[in-house]
Amino acid sequence: MGLIRKAFWVAVTLVFTLLFSVLFEHGTLDYGKNLEKEIKSLRDFVKPPPRKKDTSDSIPPK
């Protein structure tokens, strides 16, 4: 039960930190739009870069 409580508080802390940082950086005008931009930039930061395909990636026919 303690692990669930700790995970909940970590998640709440991360969400409110994101909300506060958007408020601090961009202000109250267009808060929703700025929040969407910050979430998109966070998603792009966490997402792994696309892998480039090489000629050695294909499986040769038998």
Side-chain angles (χ1 to χ4, degrees):
M1 196 64 169
L3 182 63
I4 295 172
R5 186 179 322 144
K6 182 68 78 172
F8 171 76
W9 283 113
V10 167
V12 167
T13 302
L14 291 174
V15 167
F16 278 104
T17 300
L18 175 67
L19 295 175
F20 176 75
S21 67
V22 170
L23 182 65
F24 186 75
E25 289 181 12
H26 301 286
T28 56
L29 297 176
D30 292 332
Y31 186 77
K33 185 177 122 186
N34 291 327
L35 181 62
E36 287 177 13
K37 286 193 315 191
E38 289 295 325
I39 290 174
K40 183 182 180 304
S41 68
L42 182 64
R43 235 185 264 144
D44 291 341
F45 179 75
V46 173
K47 184 173 49 172
R51 185 171 168 263
K52 293 182 181 179
K53 292 193 176 192
D54 194 5
T55 56
S56 63
D57 288 342
S58 63
I59 300 174
K62 291 184 180 182

